[in-house]
Amino acid sequence: MESLDCLRCFRFYKSLPPISKAYATICVVATAAFHLGLYSPLTIALFYEPVFSHFQVWRLVTNFFFLGKFSINFGIHLLMIARYGVQLEKGPFERRTADFLWMMIFGALSMLALAAIPMLWTPFLGVSLVFMLIYVWSREYPSAQINIYGLVNIQAFYLPWAMLAMDVLFGASLLPDLLGIIAGHLYYFLTVLHPLAGGRNKLKTPTWVHKLVGHWRVGYPATARVEPERATGGAFTGRSYRLNTSSGRPFSFRRLWSS
């Protein structure tokens, strides 16, 4: 039985799309290395002073891979990557691996710029990047039904704001969520809403990202790109997707919080 469960886990892991799988894996490895005492979080946190004075440029990247200690919240954030990141990569970004990677790179760059503002600074932006995935997912699948705590059903479009409200109720910091919302909306506006209004997509995936994906031989190369049709109904529409279980009930979203 145990070997069968391990085989199922391995098959599930192998079936994950490349970018979401790589990001989740690095986050797990980073947290495991922390618990093994291989490094201190202070050495990978986002501090701009050592970046410029001591050329510790790795901080601009490593802070995105620390989601906290192994805990319930860590597991929930990992599940968010496995659900919302994977659904984006297999849905709107299907056969568009480079575009999905560019979305995450753009989001990370946007958050780094926002975090340079003292009142918006936070040492780790991993949770913000996960929240950006949730925000973009909610815009791509606005009609999906989400069940919160088994008490109320909401449309996915309102999911980021419902999570933000729960953070207020449980006394958690709002800054990571807000940074994710800002970065996610900026990306969605530039790539979807602005073109729908008649403008040009000013955030096309750079050639070097396509070459990078091709060099790594993951996902689909630039020659296989297929741009999906965007909804033309307006700013609040998207590719509707209902998350149903086999029992026909809407997907139940349960998030555990710690103060």
Side-chain angles (χ1 to χ4, degrees):
M1 182 63 68
E2 291 182 0
S3 60
L4 183 59
D5 291 338
C6 291
L7 181 60
R8 288 175 179 173
C9 291
F10 176 76
R11 287 178 177 174
F12 170 75
Y13 177 79
K14 192 175 181 180
S15 70
L16 297 177
I19 306 303
S20 297
K21 178 166 62 176
Y23 182 56
T25 301
I26 295 174
C27 289
V28 171
V29 171
T31 301
F34 161 71
H35 280 278
L36 292 173
L38 299 181
Y39 72 93
S40 167
L42 293 177
T43 62
I44 66 170
L46 179 63
F47 295 111
Y48 283 103
E49 193 276 332
V51 168
F52 294 106
S53 62
H54 300 290
F55 205 62
Q56 296 180 3
V57 293
W58 65 81
R59 294 178 180 273
L60 300 176
V61 178
T62 54
N63 76 91
F64 287 100
F65 300 117
F66 188 72
L67 298 178
K69 300 178 180 179
F70 282 133
S71 62
I72 293 177
N73 277 346
F74 174 87
I76 290 173
H77 289 128
L78 205 62
L79 288 175
M80 289 177 179
I81 299 173
R83 174 165 292 276
Y84 302 113
V86 167
Q87 286 183 355
L88 281 175
E89 203 169 347
K90 286 186 173 181
F93 290 91
E94 186 178 11
R95 300 181 66 86
R96 299 169 57 210
T97 304
D99 293 341
F100 186 79
L101 177 60
W102 173 239
M103 179 192 72
M104 296 194 69
I105 293 174
F106 173 79
L109 293 175
S110 300
M111 293 173 200
L112 289 174
L114 290 169
I117 303 173
M119 64 180 298
L120 297 179
W121 174 82
T122 183
F124 299 102
L125 292 169
V127 173
S128 300
L129 192 58
V130 173
F131 208 87
M132 175 188 170
L133 293 176
I134 296 172
Y135 181 85
V136 175
W137 178 88
S138 73
R139 300 306 301 264
E140 291 287 358
Y141 302 110
S143 299
Q145 294 295 308
I146 305 297
N147 183 277
I148 299 180
Y149 282 114
L151 299 175
V152 60
N153 291 335
I154 64 171
Q155 287 187 324
F157 180 83
Y158 302 105
L159 177 60
W161 311 106
M163 293 171 61
L164 199 66
M166 286 191 288
D167 273 341
V168 172
L169 291 176
F170 287 96
S173 174
L174 301 182
L175 186 56
D177 295 358
L178 288 174
L179 291 176
I181 288 177
I182 295 171
H185 185 74
L186 182 60
Y187 173 83
Y188 197 77
F189 174 82
L190 292 174
T191 60
V192 180
L193 300 184
H194 183 62
L196 282 177
R200 296 176 56 188
N201 182 356
K202 299 182 179 180
L203 202 63
K204 291 184 178 180
T205 304
T207 302
W208 64 267
V209 179
H210 288 289
K211 290 182 177 179
L212 190 63
V213 170
H215 178 73
W216 286 343
R217 298 181 180 179
V218 296
Y220 294 88
T223 54
R225 288 173 63 208
V226 177
E227 292 287 346
E229 287 187 12
R230 291 287 182 177
T232 56
F236 298 99
T237 60
R239 280 173 287 276
S240 180
Y241 183 78
R242 183 178 179 84
L243 300 177
N244 286 338
T245 63
S246 59
S247 63
R249 293 174 297 183
F251 166 64
S252 180
F253 176 82
R254 297 171 182 268
R255 184 176 182 180
L256 302 178
W257 305 79
S258 63
S259 58

